[in-house]
């Protein structure tokens, strides 16, 4: 095996990172520097000095269009997150974030968790809009983080999916892991993590259905993956197999998926509280078009 391929396989780095390590002299075979095209042989001593792990960038305070605070007190901030906004900074993401937007509004988020995730106790995908809760104190962070981990937070989403699911009230219990051939996607896989989605059809249209969805687990892209796996992808979601013609007809350039409400026990009072988010204009417009077509 070529030494760059061996480094990538042994340490789980990309071939380009392996090549950089070799060029920097960080890889030795029997105490001698190597070229990336050299071969490893049985019995040889392979030494590699791994580069330091890359850290996500620190959040930068900046105004975020459409980011609204629904509720806030000493422990909790509830926001209405618009589409196209990440929860916090990550490697490779240069767009707006909830953390940066809140800092620009004057909130001093707690130093709890990784530096780039100040106050973040849950996440919504960049392409998903809706209600999201952020901790505003160390106590709030601790209590809310535990609540999400123990699945005591009641999360409700609305989704418009293609076709009509059968049964109209059901549960999808299927493990989700990385897609075997596309690392940027997820899929139902035998060795994935347990994932449970409950859904109920609220309205049925000619080409699609409006669902209320409750998540028992919180995997990345969970609703999108599960609905696609049963043949009913979210409308406007080409990554998971939607009909692009229907999305264009409804003027959608993202998946019809919205986090409508969160119910949780307040970190200080222990009393249950619910925060809600209405549909944004683009999703409401698409829904109105589906309803209009049904009446026609």
């Amino acid at each position: 095996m070529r030494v760059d391929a061996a480094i990538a396989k042994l340490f789980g780095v990309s071939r380009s990172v392996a090549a950089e390590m070799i060029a920097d002299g960080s890889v030795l075979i029997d105490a001698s520097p190597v070229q990336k095209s050299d071969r490893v042989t049985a019995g040889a001593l392979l030494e590699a000095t791994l580069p330091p792990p890359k850290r996500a960038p620190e959040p930068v305070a900046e105004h975020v269009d459409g980011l609204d605070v629904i509720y806030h007190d000493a422990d909790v901030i509830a926001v209405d997150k618009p589409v196209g906004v990440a929860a916090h900074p990550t490697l490779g993401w240069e767009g707006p974030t909830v953390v940066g937007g809140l800092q620009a509004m004057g909130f001093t988020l707690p130093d709890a968790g990784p530096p780039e995730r100040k106050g973040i106790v849950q996440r919504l995908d960049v392409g998903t809009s809706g209600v999201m809760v952020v901790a505003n104190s160390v106590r709030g962070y601790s209590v809310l983080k535990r609540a999400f981990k123990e699945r005591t937070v009641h999360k409700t989403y609305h989704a418009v999916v293609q076709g009509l699911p059968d049964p109209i009230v059901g549960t999808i219990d299927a493990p989700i892991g990385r897609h075997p051939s596309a690392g940027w996607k997820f899929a139902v896989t035998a060795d994935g993590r347990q994932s449970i989605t409950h859904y109920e059809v609220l309205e049925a249209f000619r080409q699609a259905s409006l669902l209320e969805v409750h998540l028992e687990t919180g995997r990345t892209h969970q609703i999108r993956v599960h609905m696609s796996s049963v043949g009913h992808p979210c409308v406007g979601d080409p990554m998971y197999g939607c009909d692009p013609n229907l999305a264009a007809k409804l003027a959608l350039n993202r998946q019809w998926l919205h986090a409508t409400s969160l119910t949780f026990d307040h970190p200080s009072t222990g009393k249950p509280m619910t925060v809600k988010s209405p549909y944004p204009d683009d999703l409401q417009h698409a829904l109105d078009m589906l309803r209009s077509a049904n009446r026609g």
Side-chain angles (χ1 to χ4, degrees), residues 74-292:
D75 295 304
V76 173
I77 307 168
V79 302
D80 197 349
K81 187 189 85 66
V83 67
V85 178
H88 58 79
T90 58
L91 290 171
W93 175 253
E94 298 180 354
T97 67
V98 170
V99 173
L102 288 175
Q103 289 179 327
M105 293 179 192
F107 289 96
T108 303
L109 300 175
D111 289 320
E116 74 277 8
R117 302 186 189 185
K118 292 178 181 289
I120 295 295
V121 292
Q122 64 151 148
R123 287 178 289 183
L124 286 179
D125 293 342
V126 169
T128 301
S129 54
V131 65
M132 181 177 155
V133 66
V134 181
N136 201 24
S137 67
V138 173
R139 174 176 57 187
Y141 181 88
S142 177
V143 174
L144 289 170
K145 195 75 174 174
R146 186 184 313 119
F148 278 100
K149 183 178 181 180
E150 295 176 353
R151 303 177 186 175
T152 59
V153 179
H154 194 64
K155 298 176 281 188
T156 302
Y157 294 77
H158 282 186
V160 173
V161 302
Q162 292 178 195
L164 178 63
D166 183 16
I168 59 173
V169 178
T171 295
I172 304 171
D173 185 348
I176 291 176
R178 289 281 180 184
H179 193 285
S181 60
W184 39 272
K185 288 176 61 175
F186 292 81
V188 170
T189 60
D191 59 349
R193 300 172 69 188
Q194 183 190 34
S195 307
I196 301 173
T197 301
H198 307 285
Y199 70 87
E200 177 181 356
V201 174
L202 298 179
E203 290 185 68
F205 311 108
R206 290 177 181 174
Q207 294 178 277
S209 303
L210 173 65
L211 310 185
E212 181 166 290
V213 182
H214 298 281
L215 295 182
E216 204 168 303
T217 53
R219 311 303 177 209
T220 303
H221 297 180
Q222 179 172 322
I223 296 172
R224 300 163 64 192
V225 171
H226 269 172
M227 296 316 302
S228 177
S229 74
V230 296
H232 300 285
C234 291
V235 173
D237 190 5
M239 181 183 292
Y240 291 106
C242 81
D243 177 359
N245 295 320
L246 179 58
K249 180 180 176 182
L250 299 176
L252 274 177
N253 55 17
R254 53 114 162 194
Q255 67 263 15
W256 205 115
L257 178 61
H258 188 70
T260 57
S261 71
L262 282 172
T263 299
F264 54 92
D265 292 340
H266 190 277
S268 294
T269 67
K271 295 180 179 179
M273 65 177 294
T274 298
V275 285
K276 297 182 178 182
S277 166
Y279 300 152
D281 291 344
D282 60 336
L283 300 190
Q284 185 65 59
H285 175 71
L287 191 58
D288 290 343
M289 291 185 70
L290 288 168
R291 287 169 175 161
S292 178

